């Protein structure tokens, strides 16, 4: 006798499993625990098999019958319903979105910086509307190009280029985990408009640098912002490395700032020698913000650093346009003038900038860090900045 909603609803558990039959192999199993489960008994390839269809009442009688009929249609076509379900589940797990999420989790476990993770997720959001829910094996270069063009058409050529690279990383991860066979982005090399690279504005004329240093000293904004700009000039780290610095990173006895690998672009710790001027600036800063963990806490929250735009906004307030000076530009300033003076080995300058050598031989030599030379160089640089800041300073960088 066929089942009814009333029979299903009133089915009571017993000490043993109770099987209620509906017809066509559909059964409602009433477990001793009280749970009621739909099962479909069928034969395939000469073997008796069982397919789980869900639980009652989450799956109604009508829905269970519909699932039974769908399975019967597959059997008529010579397809095992259980195997078909496995394939569908595997297909769902192999979508670009699911693999991309796995890839992001991998980056997190590798200790990649939060900023890097956020950037990758931001880029992937451009791809999801076009092919996020497609199986990676179904995605071809033309499909990817549609997503890339949607970014490129906005004039964001660099973002489109990075998106192609990020999509390629996801596909290479899929290949490594046996979920894809090829990386379709390889065929798209050269298909995008190349971005025009605009170097970050930097002051490299000694006389103009002296003027900038005096403007920083006279800045009437937040004292912590003024201190940050002074330290950018003295130490020339990447702005994010200084912006999020904590007091526990500074050894004042040894005059060394150790930036942890988590905040370094190249993912390895970096030591910065502190000239006497830098120690003095830090000592004054500690009187202002030394009560917390961060050198430059946000005015809104002491647990968060100042924003990315704080230093550049301060330069704009001082009258320097974005084509004249940027916070990141202090690195180019130091690199240019330190190399031009001829006093320091280029490798020492590169190590102080925390650049990684592409050449294996040069990289092997760089492991020595040129530490002693860098200590002398950073003190010379601080003294030189003092000279430039003085209105009567000699502005010639070469010579004695």
């Amino acid at each position: 006798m066929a089942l009814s909603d009333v029979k299903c609803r009133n089915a009571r558990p017993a000490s043993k499993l109770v099987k209620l039959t509906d017809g066509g192999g559909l059964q409602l199993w009433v477990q001793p625990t009280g749970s009621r489960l739909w099962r479909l008994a069928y034969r395939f390839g000469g073997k008796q098999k069982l397919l789980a269809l869900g639980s009652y009442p989450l799956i109604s009688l009508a829905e269970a019958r519909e699932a039974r009929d769908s399975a019967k249609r597959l059997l008529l076509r010579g397809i095992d319903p259980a195997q078909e379900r496995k394939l569908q589940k595997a297909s769902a797990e192999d979508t670009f979105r699911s693999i991309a999420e796995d890839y992001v989790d991998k980056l997190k476990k590798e200790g990649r910086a939060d900023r890097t993770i956020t950037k990758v997720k931001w880029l992937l959001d451009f791809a999801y509307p076009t092919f996020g829910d497609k199986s990676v094996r179904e995605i071809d270069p033309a499909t990817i190009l549609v997503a890339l063009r949607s970014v490129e058409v906005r004039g964001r050529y660099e973002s489109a280029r990075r998106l192609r690279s990020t999509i390629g990383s996801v596909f290479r991860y899929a290949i490594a985990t046996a979920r894809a066979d090829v990386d379709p982005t390889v065929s798209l090399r050269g298909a995008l408009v190349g971005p025009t690279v605009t170097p970050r504005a930097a002051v490299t004329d000694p006389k103009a640098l002296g003027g900038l240093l005096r403007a920083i000293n006279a800045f009437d904004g937040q004292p912590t912002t003024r201190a940050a700009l002074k330290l950018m000039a003295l130490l020339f780290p990447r702005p994010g490395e200084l912006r999020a610095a904590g007091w526990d990173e500074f050894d004042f006895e040894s005059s060394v700032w150790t930036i942890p690998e988590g905040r370094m672009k190249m993912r390895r710790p970096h030591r910065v020698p502190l000239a006497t001027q830098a120690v003095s600036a830090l000592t004054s800063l500690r009187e202002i913000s030394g009560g917390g963990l961060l050198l430059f806490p946000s005015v809104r929250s002491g647990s968060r650093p100042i924003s990315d735009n704080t230093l550049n906004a301060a330069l704009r307030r001082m009258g320097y346009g974005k084509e004249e000076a940027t916070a990141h530009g202090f690195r180019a300033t130091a690199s240019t003038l330190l190399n031009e003076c001829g006093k320091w080995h280029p490798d020492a300058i590169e190590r102080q900038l925390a650049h990684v050598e592409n050449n294996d031989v040069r990289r092997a030599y760089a492991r020595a860090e040129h530490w002693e030379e860098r200590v002398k160089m950073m003190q010379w640089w601080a003294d030189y900045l003092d000279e430039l800041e003085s209105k009567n300073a000699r502005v010639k960088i070469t010579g004695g």
Side-chain angles (χ1 to χ4, degrees), residues 127-237:
Y128 291 152
T130 305
F131 53 83
D133 297 324
K134 287 189 175 183
S135 168
V136 287
R137 288 188 168 87
E138 298 175 358
I139 301 171
D140 57 16
T143 302
I144 295 174
L145 189 58
V146 171
L148 299 179
R149 294 287 192 223
S150 69
V151 177
E152 189 180 61
V153 74
R154 306 177 197 177
R156 303 172 77 169
Y157 303 132
E158 178 62 17
S159 294
R161 186 185 67 83
R162 292 190 177 189
L163 175 57
R164 185 192 71 81
S165 176
T166 301
I167 293 171
S169 295
V170 173
F171 270 97
R172 288 190 292 277
Y173 175 68
I175 293 170
T177 54
R179 288 179 283 181
D181 303 312
V182 296
D183 173 11
T185 64
V186 173
S187 303
L188 297 175
R189 290 174 182 167
L192 299 174
V193 176
T196 301
V197 179
T198 304
R200 293 182 177 92
V203 177
T204 56
D205 174 71
K207 185 174 182 179
L209 178 56
L212 174 58
L213 294 171
R214 290 190 292 274
I216 292 172
N217 197 47
F219 179 63
D220 61 356
Q222 288 287 336
T224 51
T225 303
R226 181 170 62 249
L229 288 170
K230 285 184 176 181
L231 290 168
M232 282 300 303
L234 284 165
L235 307 177
F236 46 91

Side-chain angles (χ1 to χ4, degrees), residues 21 33 47 49 80 106 137 144 206 209 234 236 266 280 289-290 340 358 368 381:
T21 302
T33 58
K47 296 181 180 179
K49 307 192 76 172
D80 182 354
K106 172 179 173 289
R137 288 188 168 87
I144 295 174
L209 178 56
L234 284 165
F236 46 91
M266 299 305 174
S280 177
S289 66
E340 284 184 359
N358 292 324
W381 175 249

Side-chain angles (χ1 to χ4, degrees), residues 4 50 67 78 91 98 105 149 155 183-184 203 229 234 239 242-243 249 288 292 317 339 359 372 374 383 390:
S4 66
L50 201 65
S91 178
S98 64
D105 287 340
R149 294 287 192 223
D183 173 11
V203 177
L229 288 170
L234 284 165
L242 181 68
R243 187 174 57 81
E249 298 168 10
I288 304 172
R317 280 187 60 186
N339 277 290
N359 182 284
E372 292 184 4
R374 287 165 55 198
D383 294 339
S390 171

Side-chain angles (χ1 to χ4, degrees), residues 384-400:
Y384 178 68
L385 293 184
D386 282 348
E387 289 183 24
L388 293 182
E389 189 176 343
S390 171
K391 292 183 180 180
N392 298 318
R394 291 182 297 108
V395 299
K396 185 178 180 181
I397 192 167
T398 55

Side-chain angles (χ1 to χ4, degrees), residues 161-352:
R161 186 185 67 83
R162 292 190 177 189
L163 175 57
R164 185 192 71 81
S165 176
T166 301
I167 293 171
S169 295
V170 173
F171 270 97
R172 288 190 292 277
Y173 175 68
I175 293 170
T177 54
R179 288 179 283 181
D181 303 312
V182 296
D183 173 11
T185 64
V186 173
S187 303
L188 297 175
R189 290 174 182 167
L192 299 174
V193 176
T196 301
V197 179
T198 304
R200 293 182 177 92
V203 177
T204 56
D205 174 71
K207 185 174 182 179
L209 178 56
L212 174 58
L213 294 171
R214 290 190 292 274
I216 292 172
N217 197 47
F219 179 63
D220 61 356
Q222 288 287 336
T224 51
T225 303
R226 181 170 62 249
L229 288 170
K230 285 184 176 181
L231 290 168
M232 282 300 303
L234 284 165
L235 307 177
F236 46 91
R238 296 177 180 89
E241 294 162 4
L242 181 68
R243 187 174 57 81
W247 286 109
D248 60 346
E249 298 168 10
F250 291 84
D251 183 343
F252 287 97
E253 291 186 7
S254 301
S255 297
V256 176
W257 172 26
T258 303
I259 309 174
E261 63 181 13
R263 287 214 321 282
M264 292 299 298
K265 182 178 181 180
M266 299 305 174
R267 317 308 297 166
R268 63 187 187 186
H270 179 60
R271 294 193 299 164
V272 180
L274 301 175
T276 55
Q277 291 91 330
V279 172
S280 177
L282 287 163
T283 301
S284 298
L285 176 64
R286 190 156 53 174
E287 295 177 1
I288 304 172
S289 66
L293 299 176
L294 300 172
L295 273 68
F296 307 104
S298 167
V299 294
R300 297 180 180 178
S301 172
S303 62
R304 297 176 60 184
I306 55 177
S307 69
D308 289 342
N309 193 47
T310 300
L311 301 185
N312 284 330
L315 290 170
R316 305 298 165 260
R317 280 187 60 186
M318 290 186 284
Y320 288 88
K322 62 182 180 180
E323 71 285 349
E324 296 177 290
T326 61
H328 199 283
F330 284 108
R331 292 171 59 76
T333 297
S335 177
T336 299
L337 298 181
L338 286 170
N339 277 290
E340 284 184 359
C341 78
K343 293 176 177 291
W344 314 105
H345 195 290
D347 285 350
I349 299 171
E350 288 298 290
R351 287 297 295 140
Q352 191 52 54

